[in-house]
Amino acid sequence: MKIEVWSDYACPFCYIGKRRLEKALETFDHRDQVDVQFKSFELEPEAPRVSDESMYEKLAGKYGISVDEAKRMNEGIRRQAAEEGLTFNFDTMIPTNTFDAHRLAHFAESKNKEKEVHEKLLHAYFTESKHLGDHEVLADIAAEAGIDRDETLAFLADETALVDEVRNDEQASQLIGVRGVPFFLINRKYGISGAQPIDTFLAALEKVWQEESSEPILQNLGSGDAGACVDGSCDLPDEK
């Protein structure tokens, strides 16, 4: 079974959804036969690499709300993350452009380190408040995963390297109708959108395992008000 996951490193629900999928897989009897692959999706392709705005100021400007309202909005997301064992530090988070982080993920794939780097990029952004637009920071993350730091810096310095790989992922998402992330595609037939509950992921895995060959079309096995990010905006579920 192959699960393709479109996500962005600046999408909080992508990290939450990743962790929920992992927890579902822990109780899935056939988890050893599941291959999870991560795909690139930029929420804000035009985002500046360097910004003097805090995360709250950015959200306030985007939605036309106050900074205090932006803080309250993110508090609900922070609580959801905490329920999955994740720590989100919105106070010190650094908004940036994530394109080079996606290029790094593809570079890591060539070194068979993509899963390690994907997790480290999310953790660096949401928990450690690291600047994912900074090549030195990205090289440090690669080195932590066992990739040569100097080689990584040389790769990142070539602005054309692995650009097509990122764009191909994004084009593929458009062709299958992805409008927001996280989006999970199982065996190129069954789609799950948003950071669905663990039980939803597990039910989908069981259903696909039992019925994978029944309908050769894309089926939606999870959607609705679970958290997802679309065009740089996050669709927020009701706070718990």
Side-chain angles (χ1 to χ4, degrees):
M1 183 186 298
K2 181 170 73 174
I3 304 177
E4 296 167 281
V5 187
W6 277 265
S7 62
D8 189 19
Y9 298 108
C11 165
F13 291 113
C14 292
Y15 203 3
I16 294 170
K18 176 179 184 292
R19 195 59 88 243
R20 289 175 178 171
L21 172 63
E22 290 168 347
K23 290 181 177 181
L25 285 169
E26 288 176 2
T27 59
F28 182 54
D29 290 339
H30 309 287
R31 56 186 174 276
D32 292 340
Q33 298 182 55
V34 178
D35 177 27
V36 180
Q37 300 178 358
F38 296 100
K39 304 292 184 179
S40 299
F41 188 106
E42 294 174 274
L43 286 171
E44 294 187 84
E46 304 304 321
R49 186 186 302 273
V50 178
S51 171
D52 58 1
E53 288 185 312
S54 69
M55 181 59 68
Y56 300 127
E57 290 169 338
K58 177 181 178 179
L59 291 173
K62 183 177 188 63
Y63 296 119
I65 58 179
S66 69
V67 169
D68 285 342
E69 287 172 320
K71 289 181 178 181
R72 288 195 294 272
M73 181 177 74
N74 278 353
E75 177 58 21
I77 302 174
R78 187 198 64 76
R79 288 200 300 269
Q80 287 191 64
E83 290 175 359
E84 306 306 334
L86 302 172
T87 300
F88 281 10
N89 291 313
F90 287 107
D91 289 353
T92 53
M93 212 169 283
I94 302 174
T96 188
N97 187 290
T98 61
F99 185 73
D100 280 344
H102 284 291
R103 288 204 299 131
L104 175 62
H106 282 281
F107 181 66
E109 184 178 4
S110 71
K111 307 293 185 181
N112 294 317
K113 295 287 186 178
E114 65 273 20
K115 289 181 173 61
E116 295 94 325
V117 168
H118 185 76
E119 173 68 24
K120 287 181 181 297
L121 285 167
L122 288 165
H123 183 76
Y125 185 80
F126 287 104
T127 302
E128 300 178 318
S129 299
K130 291 185 177 180
H131 194 325
L132 294 194
D134 186 318
H135 286 186
E136 295 289 337
V137 171
L138 293 176
D140 287 342
I141 291 170
E144 290 173 4
I147 302 174
D148 184 84
R149 191 178 189 281
D150 291 336
E151 184 181 359
T152 302
L153 283 172
F155 155 73
L156 291 169
D158 181 356
E159 297 183 354
T160 66
L162 298 183
V163 168
D164 287 346
E165 281 73 7
V166 177
R167 298 303 183 212
N168 288 342
D169 279 357
E170 294 175 334
Q171 183 178 27
S173 73
Q174 294 173 5
L175 291 175
I176 63 175
V178 176
R179 294 292 177 264
V181 289
F183 185 85
F184 306 82
L185 184 61
I186 307 176
N187 286 355
R188 283 273 159 170
K189 290 170 59 177
Y190 304 89
I192 302 175
S193 61
Q196 297 290 331
I198 296 169
D199 288 346
T200 299
F201 280 116
L202 184 57
L205 292 169
E206 297 287 358
K207 177 180 175 64
V208 172
W209 188 262
Q210 296 296 327
E211 304 180 7
E212 194 279 339
S213 62
S214 62
E215 293 291 341
I217 59 174
L218 179 65
Q219 297 186 34
N220 190 349
L221 297 183
S223 61
D225 62 358
C229 295
V230 185
D231 296 332
S233 304
C234 283
D235 171 30
L236 306 180
D238 293 336
E239 293 186 8
K240 297 179 180 179

